[in-house]
């Protein structure tokens, strides 16, 4: 009944509520019971409740208020139009007005409690409402398929048990004020929240359970130290690792130990550790070659994602074989997508990478469908398909073959030099379908690059990749992105970078200012405060509370870049297609980064014919 259980032809929800209230008051007749409800329950069914029960809630939308009948004790009937048929018990109506809000009204049968206490009690009800709403949503208790009598009898006790255990665990061992504090920084609607919801409790429990798998204590210690994921101030008594007695895992199993497990030891026939909520999980592995990174291998149902219809992108379909990225770029606009997995947009985005191991076969099956219209498919628009893990998993060759075999044009945007491995395959595919290739190079300062993009290949390695792509007869557009105000926007820096890009033979260049979406903005701000605290106020003035830099700065940067593009023969390499991921709507794709007619090959810039302006 607490979860709104219902069956066809059975009692109504108010009737079930009345049965529940009667049951509770029968167990404790000596206690006064205050029932908080919404307008749907203020009906005839709940009119006559036991004397020790009060009912409080907002009036229904169609409610009308009338003065007290002269003889209220007799509750005489009145059949005049516009009047209620039966005079019921006496109630109080409390109107509440707050600054800058419409206000609301509350009807209550409690005639003795003070107005302030009634409003406080009514407000406290919302925390309970939200908790049960989250519980029904996450457990499926409110879905139509779970409303048959047999389903209710089988699942309701388990659902209530799970809900109770999670709430009890959180209040005994999991609560930390840092939970609410962290959410306030990342979610605007959380700014006035003081108590965690049931979903917050589940997220906290998931993180602690994951920590129990991947941060196990030293071997031989029967009572391990406090789990590093436990909230500060928890002693051994409430530590989750102490309760579970987690020690170093057996090296013969698939679970990771402190010493790390090599790839060859991660056979699929071994039992994988559980990662709650990740659909299609096969196993989760670590490797000494990727220190601090956990790869969650999943079997995806689909990898072909449709771009929303109102998007300005020049393509309708994308493929992302990975979620999360070991490049670790502090400004990456895709960081916030990791929060959809209940992982954070900072360290987890860099270190918890989801690998769709069956990406090629799932994509091939979709592209071979007679309904597939062979539209342009873009890769690298969210996370990099040629990040370091691609060297191990080698998903892209199968994806490229599937696209080429089906006659589907495609484009790839990357920072990863692993793409050079697939150049023969890409050259072969370009003879069958239009292919576009793009490389992102933000700067040439190696020291700044190590700090800003710690997991990426060096700028010189990426310039060499551009050279190899062009030598293979393929087009290559370069994104000089992002340009960092006061760090990489000087004439000297831009001139040097554009000169090297032109020398590498790029077919086109687009220069974009730094764009900071939610998730990336907070992570970049931490880096800026740590590395360049003197620039914090300037960035705050340029970006304010938004994601885009001030329009005046964009116009200033464009004016600075134009003569440099002409100087290096790159002015004609700016494309016309708009809709660049992580940029404003005015940004265009560089020539060569999007698929073009293969019959018209892109021309290499002849450095001897340049006119220096």
């Amino acid at each position: 009944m607490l979860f709104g259980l219902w069956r066809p032809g059975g009692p109504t929800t108010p009737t079930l509520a009345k049965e529940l209230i009667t049951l509770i008051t029968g167990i404790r007749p000596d206690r006064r019971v205050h029932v908080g409800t919404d307008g749907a329950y203020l009906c005839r069914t709940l009119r006559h409740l036991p004397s020790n029960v009060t009912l409080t809630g907002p009036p229904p939308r169609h409610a009308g208020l009338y003065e007290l009948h002269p003889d209220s004790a007799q509750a005489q009937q009145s059949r005049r139009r516009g009047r209620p048929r039966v005079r019921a018990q006496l109630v109080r109506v409390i109107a509440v007005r707050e600054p800058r809000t419409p206000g609301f009204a509350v009807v209550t049968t409690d005639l003795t409690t003070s107005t302030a206490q009634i409003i406080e009690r009514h407000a406290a009800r919302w925390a309970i409402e939200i908790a049960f709403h989250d519980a029904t949503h996450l457990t499926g208790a409110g879905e139509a398929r779970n409303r048959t009598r047999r389903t209710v009898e089988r699942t309701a006790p388990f659902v209530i048990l799970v809900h109770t255990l999670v709430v009890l665990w959180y209040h005994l061992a999991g609560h930390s004020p840092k939970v609410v504090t962290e959410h306030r920084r990342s979610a605007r609607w959380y700014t006035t929240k003081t108590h965690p919801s049931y979903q917050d409790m589940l997220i906290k429990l998931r993180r602690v359970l994951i920590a129990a798998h991947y941060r196990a204590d030293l071997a031989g210690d029967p009572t391990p130290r406090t789990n590093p994921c436990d909230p500060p101030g928890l002693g051994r008594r409430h530590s989750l690792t102490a309760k579970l007695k987690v020690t170093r895992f057996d090296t013969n199993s698939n679970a990771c130990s402190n010493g790390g497990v090599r790839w060859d030891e991660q056979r699929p026939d071994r039992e994988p550790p559980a990662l709650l909520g990740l659909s299609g999980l096969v196993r989760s592995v670590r490797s000494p070659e990727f220190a601090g990174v956990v790869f969650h291998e999943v079997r995806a149902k689909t990898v072909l994602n449709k771009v929303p219809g109102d998007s300005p992108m020049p393509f309708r379909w994308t493929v992302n074989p990975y979620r999360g990225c070991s490049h670790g770029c502090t400004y990456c606009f895709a960081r916030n997508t990791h929060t959809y997995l209940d992982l954070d947009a900072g360290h987890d985005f860099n270190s918890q990478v989801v690998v769709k191991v069956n990406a090629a076969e799932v994509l091939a099956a979709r592209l071979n469908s007679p309904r597939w219209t062979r539209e342009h498919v873009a890769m690298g628009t969210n996370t990099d398909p040629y990040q370091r893990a691609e060297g191990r998993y080698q998903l892209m060759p199968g994806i490229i073959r599937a696209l080429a075999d089906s006659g589907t044009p495609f484009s790839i945007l990357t920072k990863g030099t692993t793409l050079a491995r697939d150049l023969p395959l890409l050259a072969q595919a370009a003879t069958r379908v239009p292919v576009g290739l793009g490389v992102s190079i933000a700067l040439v300062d190696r020291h700044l690059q190590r700090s800003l993009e710690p997991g990426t290949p060096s700028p010189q390695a990426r310039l060499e990749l551009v050279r190899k792509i062009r030598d293979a007869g393929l087009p290559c557009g370069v994104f000089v992105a992002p340009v960092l105000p006061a760090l990489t926007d000087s004439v000297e820096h831009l001139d040097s970078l554009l000169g090297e890009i032109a020398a590498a033979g790029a077919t086109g260049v687009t220069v974009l200012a730094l764009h900071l979406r939610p998730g990336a903005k907070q992570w970049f701000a931490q880096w800026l405060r740590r590395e360049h605290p003197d620039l914090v106020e300037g960035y705050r003035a340029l970006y304010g509370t938004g994601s885009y830099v001030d329009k005046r700065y964009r116009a200033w940067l464009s004016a600075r870049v134009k003569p440099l593009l002409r100087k290096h023969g790159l002015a004609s390499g700016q494309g016309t297609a708009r809709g660049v991921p992580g940029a404003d709507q005015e940004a265009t794709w560089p020539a060569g980064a999007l698929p073009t007619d293969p019959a018209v090959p892109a021309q290499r810039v002849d450095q001897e014919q340049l006119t220096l302006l």
Side-chain angles (χ1 to χ4, degrees):
M1 289 184 288
L2 293 176
F3 283 85
L5 303 178
W6 174 85
R7 62 182 182 272
T12 63
T13 305
T15 301
L16 289 172
K18 185 174 183 179
E19 292 179 7
L20 176 62
I21 296 169
T22 305
L23 178 65
I24 294 174
T25 55
I27 296 174
R28 297 300 301 270
D30 57 321
R31 298 291 297 272
R32 190 167 179 78
V33 179
H34 300 287
V35 178
T37 181
D38 56 33
Y41 288 85
L42 294 177
C43 59
R44 188 183 303 274
T45 304
L46 297 181
R47 178 172 295 168
H48 302 290
L49 292 172
S51 58
N52 61 332
V53 177
T54 65
L55 193 65
T56 303
R61 292 182 179 273
H62 63 278
L65 301 178
Y66 306 92
E67 62 181 344
L68 187 64
H69 192 275
D71 190 4
S72 57
Q74 296 182 11
Q76 297 178 356
Q77 293 189 9
S78 172
R79 298 186 182 276
R80 285 180 294 173
R81 181 181 295 274
R83 296 289 183 127
R85 291 192 59 198
V86 177
R87 304 291 179 176
Q89 65 187 98
L90 193 62
V91 297
R92 293 168 65 186
V93 179
I94 303 172
V96 181
R97 257 186 100 175
E98 294 181 307
R100 299 181 298 276
T101 60
F104 61 94
V106 171
V107 177
T108 179
T109 61
D110 189 345
L111 306 180
T112 58
T113 306
S114 67
T115 301
Q117 289 178 323
I118 291 176
I119 297 302
E120 183 179 355
R121 185 192 307 154
H122 178 72
R125 159 183 166 266
W126 291 108
I128 302 174
E129 288 275 341
I130 292 172
F132 279 106
H133 179 272
D134 286 345
T136 55
H137 174 71
L138 294 171
T139 57
E143 298 178 8
R145 61 187 176 88
N146 291 331
R147 289 179 177 176
T148 63
R149 178 167 183 170
R150 178 170 295 182
T151 305
V152 168
E153 292 173 348
R154 289 181 175 180
T155 62
F158 175 74
V159 168
I160 296 175
L161 175 63
V162 170
H163 179 269
T164 305
L165 290 177
V166 170
V167 174
L168 286 176
W169 169 83
Y170 185 84
H171 285 283
L172 288 176
H175 177 64
S176 171
K178 296 174 71 175
V179 173
V180 176
T181 304
E182 291 174 0
H183 280 291
R184 282 180 177 172
R185 286 199 298 262
S186 59
R188 295 181 179 178
W189 60 270
Y190 227 96
T191 53
T192 59
K193 193 169 182 179
T194 56
H195 295 87
S197 66
Y198 179 70
Q199 192 167 7
D200 298 328
M201 300 178 189
L202 282 179
I203 293 172
K204 179 66 178 181
L205 179 58
R206 168 191 273 176
R207 289 182 176 177
V208 174
L209 289 175
I210 292 174
H213 277 292
Y214 296 109
R215 301 183 186 177
D217 228 281
L218 297 177
D221 184 1
T223 55
R225 296 187 295 273
T226 303
N227 186 354
C229 252
D230 284 338
L234 277 184
R236 296 167 64 91
R237 178 181 178 187
H238 292 305
S239 171
L240 184 73
T241 45
K243 293 288 183 70
L244 298 178
K245 296 185 178 180
V246 179
T247 58
R248 185 186 178 100
F249 288 110
D250 183 359
T251 55
N252 292 325
S253 70
N254 189 50
C256 298
S257 66
N258 293 55
V261 183
R262 294 195 174 273
W263 291 102
D264 292 339
E265 297 173 357
Q266 306 304 310
R267 296 198 301 270
D269 57 343
R270 296 183 177 178
E271 183 180 356
L275 183 63
L276 303 177
L278 193 56
S279 177
L281 179 68
V282 177
R283 59 182 180 176
S284 298
V285 297
R286 303 176 78 171
S287 170
E289 306 158 56
F290 299 87
V293 181
V294 179
F295 295 96
H296 305 292
E297 300 177 1
V298 301
R299 296 191 64 82
K301 294 181 180 178
T302 180
V303 294
L304 192 61
N305 309 304
K306 190 172 184 179
V307 178
D310 57 349
S311 172
M313 305 297 174
F315 44 79
R316 295 184 60 216
W317 302 92
T318 63
V319 168
N320 292 293
Y322 302 95
R323 296 188 68 170
C325 186
S326 58
H327 283 341
C329 303
T330 58
Y331 52 77
C332 181
F333 67 88
R335 285 186 171 277
N336 205 47
T337 61
H338 231 45
T339 61
Y340 306 156
L341 302 175
D342 295 335
L343 298 170
D344 66 59
H347 180 69
D348 286 350
F349 181 82
N350 304 339
S351 61
Q352 304 283 338
V353 179
V354 178
V355 184
K356 302 172 185 177
V357 293
N358 64 333
E361 57 190 82
V362 172
L363 179 63
R366 177 67 185 276
L367 299 180
N368 289 332
S369 169
R371 293 182 295 177
W372 175 242
T373 55
R374 295 170 176 79
E375 298 179 64
H376 169 203
V377 173
M379 292 171 280
T381 57
N382 192 40
T383 56
D384 199 323
Y386 281 104
Q387 58 180 281
R388 293 170 59 206
E390 173 60 20
R392 158 64 191 177
Y393 286 100
Q394 301 185 27
L395 302 180
M396 287 300 293
I399 293 174
I400 293 170
R401 291 190 191 96
L403 292 165
D405 291 346
S406 65
T408 301
F410 63 91
S411 62
I412 301 173
L413 176 60
T414 184
K415 291 185 178 77
T417 53
T418 310
L419 182 142
R421 176 200 65 194
D422 296 339
L423 281 177
L425 185 60
L426 288 166
Q428 183 182 6
T431 63
R432 306 170 65 187
V433 297
V435 174
L437 298 177
V439 176
S440 176
I441 309 173
L443 40 85
V444 290
D445 185 336
R446 186 72 171 118
H447 174 73
L448 183 58
Q449 181 261 336
R450 287 194 185 101
S451 175
L452 195 68
E453 309 167 337
T456 60
S458 69
Q460 292 302 323
R462 279 179 266 172
L463 288 167
E464 183 60 27
L465 174 63
V466 174
R467 202 170 281 112
K468 291 179 179 179
I469 293 173
R470 298 298 290 126
D471 289 341
L474 296 168
C476 182
V478 174
F479 284 95
V480 177
V483 174
L484 307 179
L487 288 174
T488 63
D489 60 354
S490 67
V491 173
E492 295 77 13
H493 177 274
L494 293 171
D495 187 28
S496 173
L497 179 55
L498 291 173
E500 295 199 47
I501 291 173
T507 53
V509 173
T510 291
V511 181
L512 301 174
L514 176 66
H515 172 75
L516 293 173
R517 289 186 184 177
K521 191 171 188 178
Q522 293 83 348
W523 192 249
F524 179 82
Q526 293 179 19
W527 175 86
L528 191 67
R529 280 193 296 267
R530 183 176 65 252
E531 301 292 335
H532 302 279
D534 55 313
L535 299 180
V536 171
E537 288 302 322
Y539 272 74
R540 185 176 289 117
L542 284 173
Y543 287 89
T545 58
S547 300
Y548 297 101
V549 70
D550 189 281
K551 288 184 178 180
R552 292 169 294 181
Y553 177 86
R554 296 204 298 269
W556 173 86
L557 179 62
S558 177
R560 170 165 286 193
V561 166
K562 283 181 179 178
L564 298 177
L565 292 174
R566 290 197 299 269
K567 173 182 176 181
H568 296 289
L570 297 170
S572 61
Q574 292 183 296
T576 58
R578 300 183 183 273
V580 179
D584 60 82
Q585 295 184 358
E586 300 174 359
T588 59
W589 288 73
L594 294 178
T596 56
D597 188 348
V600 184
Q603 298 297 319
R604 176 187 288 273
V605 177
D606 188 348
Q607 297 297 313
E608 297 181 358
Q609 297 181 5
L610 293 180
T611 302
L612 301 182
L613 302 178

